[in-house]
Amino acid sequence: MVEYDPQERELVKTLDRKLVPFLAVLYFCVLLDRSVQLHTRITNPRTRAGLERDLHMNEVNFIWSLLSFGIGSIATVLPLTLLVRKVGASNWFCECFVCWGIITASTAGATNWPGFLVTRLLLGIVQSGFVPAILVYVVYFYTKEESATRYSFIVSWATAASSISGLFTHYVSRADGQGGIAGWQWTYIMEGLIGIFMGVVTWLHLPSYPETCHFLSPADRVLASARGRDGEEDDTSLLTTGITKKTREPTYRFHYIQLLDVVKDVRTWLLALAYFLISSALDCLIVLSPEVAATSFDISHLLLRNSTSDQLEVIISDDEDGSLSANLLSTAPYALAGILAWAVAVHSDKTGERAMHAAIPLMLSSTGFGFLAILPPRFPGAGPARYFMGLIPAVCGLIIASPCVVSYAMDGTQGDTTRAARAAITVSFGHAFGIALAGSPDLFRDSNAPTYPMACMVSGIAVGVAAALLLLVRWFNKQEEESMWGKAPGLRRLLNDADEAKAWDVELSNFDFLKSERDDLASDEEGQFGPGSKSKGRAGGSSSGGRRAQTDGGGYGGLWDESDDM
């Protein structure tokens, strides 16, 4: 369990109150936009009105539109994520949202499929670095022992809120024909206005760096910067920027070696594949949830359990036939998942374990998908069983696992380049192409309505594979740890304590003002006691030497000789 002094406790409370809910709102806006792309395909199932009919698109054209979003996202995710530290998070998020809002609103002006394709490509470029930027931004202010809890709040509650995207599209598209504008066009216009508004609010509220955080005192800025830095020289020197009331933005340097190390690490790609499978299954659930809820309970006077896909879409979109009930029932599992995800993330932060906290919920989710695939609702009593034994475990498992997976990827990352590269690679594929898989007509065939067993089966297998990949990464980490620490436990503790003392020496040496004071003190001692007094003083009088002397009476303080001091 993380222990705080009073100042740090108050700092964490302030950050939790000012930053985390706001980041969850930003993430919700992006997820809502992604989900709306699927719902605007057909905004009125009775008349088949929607994006697909007005732009004369077929299923293949629509899938290529979703893929163009992914292509643009993958092509630019890494450089845009690296720019977050360079230009500042506040400016970066503001520009991202304003550009996203303009492009989304301009989608309403598309008159054919090529025009819509271009807007999706540009939107993928603009949104590509958003999710990785949130992961990197959280690390600025929080330690690795706190990250999973904050990720769980951002991811789980934003995902739960985005599950009502069907209701958002349904009610906005009721303006169909107003001002000569179609319902799907009104939806994109509203989405664009939301994006522009959030961009302005982000620029006004969100701090770019801990060193320039406007709602923190100068002392808290120093502490926040110390919590978020990783010990590199260009990071530790930033602490001096928060000591005075006049702050300045920290510098950033790109490290090619850090980027190369991330790319060469096989664990990076295994985690990226796992997150892609999780994200794809979650996007499929956004589509499946209303159908499962509608066929699980008698919320309509029509026989839903034997309805075709077109009939089911009409029923869900009709207020009198149960639209509100179906969408609310499909949202309830996400709200429950948000609570459970927070509890699991707290335990994950407390224990420092990530892999099993994600793999076990994923196995539970895979079982839930299996129930949805093999249990048809036409059997007596099968409807509620599909909801409670299928939908709820499937949703809860995915949302619980997601923050643990991204925390697992970010744990141990040191350096701005390493963090940005790891975050970009881990989440980019899932964010870019997951929605294209969810919109695939092969998974949601009309002949498979209303249960869509193919989509459930593929999602269940994908989630199971993701759990296996996490366990494989865990095995790789254990192998690396054993190769590094294949020694007796006593010697391992000894080296840990000695390395800690050495880290204190490195930390102190990175401060110019402390270094000058230490050098002045050493010269005074040498002049007073003669040559050689510095080494004697360090053996028993310096702060780092004192830390070594506290362990086992200082019996192994001689591990570090004078040549090792920085």
Side-chain angles (χ1 to χ4, degrees):
M1 187 70 178
V2 182
E3 297 181 359
Y4 301 109
D5 58 33
Q7 181 188 0
E8 189 172 7
R9 185 182 301 109
E10 291 301 319
L11 172 63
V12 173
K13 289 181 179 179
T14 301
L15 295 176
D16 288 343
R17 186 173 62 255
K18 299 280 189 178
L19 291 183
V20 176
F22 189 76
L23 292 176
V25 173
L26 297 182
Y27 191 50
F28 159 73
C29 293
V30 172
L31 292 183
L32 182 64
D33 178 75
R34 296 178 73 247
S35 301
V36 162
Q37 295 183 65
L38 297 176
H39 293 294
T40 53
R41 181 180 180 180
I42 299 176
T43 56
N44 190 337
R46 293 185 184 275
T47 62
R48 309 302 294 176
L51 179 72
E52 193 172 71
R53 189 190 70 176
D54 293 350
L55 299 186
H56 309 289
M57 296 166 53
N58 54 35
E59 293 179 347
V60 176
N61 296 146
F62 185 75
I63 292 300
W64 271 107
S65 300
L66 298 180
L67 287 175
S68 67
F69 174 88
I71 293 172
S73 180
I74 290 296
T76 57
V77 60
L78 185 57
L80 287 181
T81 306
L82 291 171
L83 281 176
V84 176
R85 183 74 174 181
K86 184 70 174 178
V87 303
S90 179
N91 297 329
W92 192 94
F93 282 119
C94 173
E95 294 169 0
C96 173
F97 267 92
V98 171
C99 293
W100 158 51
I102 294 173
I103 295 172
T104 302
S106 65
T107 304
T111 58
N112 49 37
W113 172 62
F116 181 73
L117 185 71
V118 171
T119 62
R120 295 302 93 187
L121 178 64
L122 295 176
L123 188 64
I125 294 174
V126 171
Q127 287 189 3
S128 60
F130 178 82
V131 179
I134 284 187
L135 303 184
V136 174
Y137 187 75
V138 169
V139 179
Y140 287 175
F141 293 89
Y142 292 97
T143 65
K144 67 178 182 179
E145 292 83 7
E146 305 163 345
S147 60
T149 305
R150 278 71 194 178
Y151 289 144
S152 70
F153 185 92
I154 296 171
V155 173
S156 59
W157 288 108
T159 306
S162 68
S163 64
I164 64 172
S165 57
L167 280 178
F168 174 82
T169 305
H170 170 63
Y171 285 109
V172 174
S173 61
R174 283 186 166 188
D176 189 16
Q178 298 292 327
I181 300 177
W184 65 270
Q185 292 175 314
W186 277 116
T187 302
Y188 282 113
I189 291 173
M190 290 298 298
E191 279 284 313
L193 294 177
I194 292 174
I196 296 173
F197 172 77
M198 291 306 301
V200 175
V201 174
T202 300
W203 183 73
L204 295 175
H205 173 75
L206 199 68
S208 292
Y209 311 98
E211 295 83 0
T212 59
C213 186
H214 58 87
F215 55 78
L216 294 180
S217 65
D220 284 339
R221 292 174 195 153
V222 177
L223 180 58
S225 178
R227 285 162 45 83
R229 64 189 174 84
D230 59 9
E232 288 194 345
E233 182 179 355
D234 56 333
D235 288 333
T236 54
S237 62
L238 301 180
L239 284 177
T240 57
T241 64
I243 293 177
T244 61
K245 292 184 178 180
K246 184 178 180 181
T247 59
R248 68 175 187 267
E249 295 181 356
T251 57
Y252 167 73
R253 293 185 299 179
F254 174 76
H255 296 277
Y256 174 75
I257 299 299
Q258 292 182 8
L259 175 61
L260 192 61
D261 289 340
V262 172
V263 173
K264 292 192 301 182
D265 193 345
V266 66
R267 292 168 295 187
T268 301
W269 301 100
L270 293 176
L271 289 171
L273 179 56
Y275 188 85
F276 165 74
L277 297 174
I278 294 171
S279 180
S280 300
L282 193 56
D283 285 330
C284 287
L285 267 182
I286 297 295
V287 180
L288 282 171
S289 297
E291 278 79 356
V292 174
T295 56
S296 296
F297 303 97
D298 295 328
I299 61 175
S300 172
H301 64 274
L302 299 178
L303 189 59
L304 296 176
R305 298 174 183 177
N306 295 320
S307 60
T308 64
S309 62
D310 293 342
Q311 293 172 340
L312 190 61
E313 289 177 354
V314 171
I315 294 169
I316 293 176
S317 65
D318 194 336
D319 291 339
E320 297 180 358
D321 285 334
S323 171
L324 184 61
S325 300
N327 282 281
L328 289 180
L329 283 172
S330 65
T331 304
Y334 292 87
L336 174 63
I339 299 174
L340 296 177
W342 178 82
V344 173
V346 169
H347 189 267
S348 177
D349 279 341
K350 181 179 179 180
T351 60
E353 204 283 328
R354 309 294 190 198
M356 297 305 298
H357 284 77
I360 294 176
L362 289 177
M363 295 176 187
L364 178 66
S365 178
S366 181
T367 304
F369 277 113
F371 274 107
L372 292 176
I374 66 176
L375 193 60
R378 61 178 178 271
F379 292 160
R386 282 170 53 83
Y387 184 84
F388 291 103
M389 301 175 62
L391 181 62
I392 291 180
V395 171
C396 291
L398 289 175
I399 294 183
I400 290 172
S402 295
C404 293
V405 172
V406 295
S407 298
Y408 200 24
M410 298 301 292
D411 280 352
T413 55
Q414 294 186 350
D416 292 323
T417 305
T418 300
R419 291 169 174 173
R422 179 67 67 85
I425 296 175
T426 300
V427 304
S428 59
F429 292 96
H431 178 71
F433 295 114
I435 191 172
L437 183 62
S440 174
D442 293 331
L443 294 181
F444 297 94
R445 295 177 180 176
D446 294 342
S447 59
N448 292 333
T451 57
Y452 300 109
M454 179 62 70
C456 297
M457 187 179 302
V458 171
S459 298
I461 295 174
V463 172
V465 173
L469 292 174
L470 292 176
L471 295 178
L472 181 59
V473 173
R474 182 172 182 264
W475 181 81
F476 277 130
N477 289 338
K478 283 188 172 295
Q479 291 296 112
E480 181 183 55
E481 183 180 0
E482 291 177 0
S483 64
M484 293 177 61
W485 298 103
K487 308 173 180 70
L491 181 58
R492 176 176 177 175
R493 287 195 300 270
L494 180 149
L495 292 178
N496 277 337
D497 293 337
D499 285 342
E500 182 183 0
K502 182 66 177 286
W504 275 89
D505 285 343
V506 174
E507 181 177 340
L508 292 176
S509 67
N510 283 323
F511 294 97
D512 294 336
F513 62 94
L514 291 179
K515 184 188 296 183
S516 61
E517 292 181 3
R518 187 179 63 178
D519 293 341
D520 294 340
L521 180 62
S523 60
D524 293 341
E525 291 178 351
E526 185 174 355
Q528 183 177 0
F529 299 104
S533 61
K534 180 179 178 181
S535 60
K536 296 178 182 179
R538 290 190 59 82
S542 68
S543 60
S544 58
R547 291 180 63 87
R548 288 194 292 267
Q550 293 173 4
T551 56
D552 293 343
Y556 46 86
L559 282 173
W560 308 108
D561 57 21
E562 183 67 26
S563 62
D564 290 330
D565 293 330
M566 301 296 294

